[in-house]
Amino acid sequence: MKVTEHIKRAKGKTLFSFEVIPPKKGNNIEELYKNIDPLMEFNPPFIDVTTSREEFYYIEHPNGLFEKRITRMRPGTVGICAAIQHKYKVDTVPHVLCGGFSREETEYLLVDCYYLGIHNVMALRGDAMKEQRYFEPTRGGHTYASQLVKQIANLNRGKYLHEVIEADTKADYFCIGVAGYPEKHLEAPSLQFDLARLKEKVEAGAHYIVTQMFFDNQKYFAFVDSVRQMGIDVPIIPGIKPIATKKHLHLLSQAFKIDFPEELVHEVERCKTNVEVKEVGVEWAIYQSRELKTYGVPVLHYYSMGKADNIARVVREVF
């Protein structure tokens, strides 16, 4: 079932969902299941599975020269989605990236999703590789998420690349999610500029929005107001992440250019151990979640990052 259908069937009730990361190459999927199992008691209608783009690594040859190669440390997103759907009987949402994929590879991935009964995809540009200062599109791939959304929307209409129809997909088979940034994307020169890019993604065919994590609900409320004023009426799902270590204050702020409320910063700085920080993070996430639920958000979406215990504690207090 599509994410938007789940929201419609809920009839105003706030749903619970979460996001997982594929295990690193060579690791067993059972470790992932151990982090999903504790959250299934809360009946998530769908689970997101991230996609990692390629990374460079180097091989040193006997002559002292280094050979540069590309690998993916966390492959298998579509296969993991299929495994989760089979094991838990829950819908999954694979993340589809511009970075690291040509348009043809994207089409093959989407056809695989269709074969496996995966109805939802999250269309993202993706980050720059570690050795790149700025995002660079893959040869033959998309530069912007709006272009990726358009390709998926075209496939929904039976329009494949090179005008070759390779499968008999149903109209609007894929429900397309995109990212929204309450505090703007880190590369955007202004929030208004970023909102214009979001509108392009929706006009290209996106069906719902999931926000970047935030720690100040007022940022989300203001974001929703701005999005609605632009004429965008698709569901806007807030993304929540419980802070777990002191390092998160700096790492998350630097990586995503997000602000932490002074009250939260003060409470974290008072902590002497990360065990105490985790308690503060859980309590703050509970506070955020309750307020957002009262506001009437369609879904509370949690970034688990492979850890389920703190998410389970939050959800148990909210749902």
Side-chain angles (χ1 to χ4, degrees), residues 128-301:
M129 297 177 70
K130 292 180 180 179
E131 297 187 2
Q132 297 173 341
R133 185 172 183 182
Y134 303 106
F135 176 84
E136 298 177 13
T138 300
R139 183 184 296 273
H142 297 298
T143 304
Y144 303 109
S146 58
Q147 297 170 333
L148 174 58
V149 171
K150 186 175 181 180
Q151 180 180 356
I152 303 170
N154 281 339
L155 191 146
N156 271 344
R157 294 190 288 268
K159 184 178 180 181
Y160 287 72
L161 297 175
H162 316 303
E163 300 299 325
V164 177
I165 304 300
E166 299 178 0
D168 184 23
T169 56
K170 299 178 182 178
D172 292 326
Y173 180 85
F174 290 109
C175 181
I176 308 168
V178 293
Y181 301 87
E183 299 173 70
K184 86 174 182 61
H185 189 276
L186 60 91
E187 296 175 15
S190 70
L191 180 57
Q192 202 61 34
F193 180 93
D194 200 38
L195 288 170
R197 304 289 79 76
L198 178 60
K199 187 172 184 179
E200 288 177 0
K201 291 188 284 189
V202 174
E203 290 177 342
H207 299 102
Y208 68 98
I209 298 164
V210 179
T211 75
Q212 177 59 274
M213 69 182 73
F214 57 89
F215 295 87
D216 183 349
N217 285 350
Q218 296 304 315
K219 300 287 180 69
Y220 171 81
F221 299 146
F223 174 73
V224 171
D225 288 342
S226 297
V227 170
R228 298 303 184 219
Q229 289 172 16
M230 297 189 73
I232 300 172
D233 61 358
V234 301
I236 303 174
I237 298 171
I240 305 296
K241 175 177 171 54
I243 191 171
T245 69
K246 275 195 173 184
K247 288 183 179 179
H248 279 164
L249 286 181
H250 306 287
L251 292 177
L252 297 177
S253 180
Q254 182 179 18
F256 303 109
K257 297 298 185 289
I258 53 179
D259 289 331
F260 287 91
E262 286 300 328
E263 182 182 352
L264 176 58
V265 173
H266 178 69
E267 289 298 319
V268 171
E269 288 296 330
R270 288 177 55 190
C271 296
K272 293 181 173 58
T273 67
N274 280 332
V275 173
E276 294 177 354
V277 174
K278 194 170 185 178
E279 290 300 312
V280 170
V282 167
E283 289 301 319
W284 191 268
I286 291 171
Y287 155 73
Q288 275 194 275
S289 300
R290 284 175 172 166
E291 185 175 44
L292 290 165
K293 189 179 179 185
T294 299
Y295 178 79
V297 299
V299 184
L300 284 170
H301 183 73

Side-chain angles (χ1 to χ4, degrees), residues 31-156:
E31 188 66 28
L32 179 61
Y33 290 156
K34 289 178 183 178
N35 285 298
I36 294 177
D37 287 342
L39 299 176
M40 293 310 297
E41 68 173 282
F42 307 110
N43 299 315
F46 59 90
I47 300 171
D48 276 47
V49 182
T50 65
T51 296
S52 68
R53 68 165 302 165
E54 74 274 30
E55 299 177 16
F56 289 126
Y57 72 102
Y58 295 87
I59 296 178
E60 184 176 6
H61 294 287
N63 60 6
L65 296 177
F66 287 85
E67 180 182 356
K68 185 177 181 181
R69 292 187 180 179
I70 291 179
T71 187
R72 291 185 188 275
M73 296 304 295
R74 297 178 185 271
T77 294
V78 173
I80 289 169
C81 283
I84 291 174
Q85 288 198 171
H86 177 74
K87 179 178 177 63
Y88 297 103
K89 311 304 178 187
V90 62
D91 287 309
T92 53
V93 186
H95 290 195
V96 182
L97 306 181
C98 295
F101 296 86
S102 68
R103 290 186 293 274
E104 284 77 12
E105 289 171 326
T106 296
E107 185 169 285
Y108 300 150
L109 183 150
L110 294 169
V111 170
D112 285 345
C113 288
Y114 176 71
Y115 291 155
L116 293 167
I118 296 171
H119 293 264
N120 304 283
V121 293
M122 174 64 66
L124 305 167
R125 189 201 69 175
D127 298 323
M129 297 177 70
K130 292 180 180 179
E131 297 187 2
Q132 297 173 341
R133 185 172 183 182
Y134 303 106
F135 176 84
E136 298 177 13
T138 300
R139 183 184 296 273
H142 297 298
T143 304
Y144 303 109
S146 58
Q147 297 170 333
L148 174 58
V149 171
K150 186 175 181 180
Q151 180 180 356
I152 303 170
N154 281 339
L155 191 146
N156 271 344

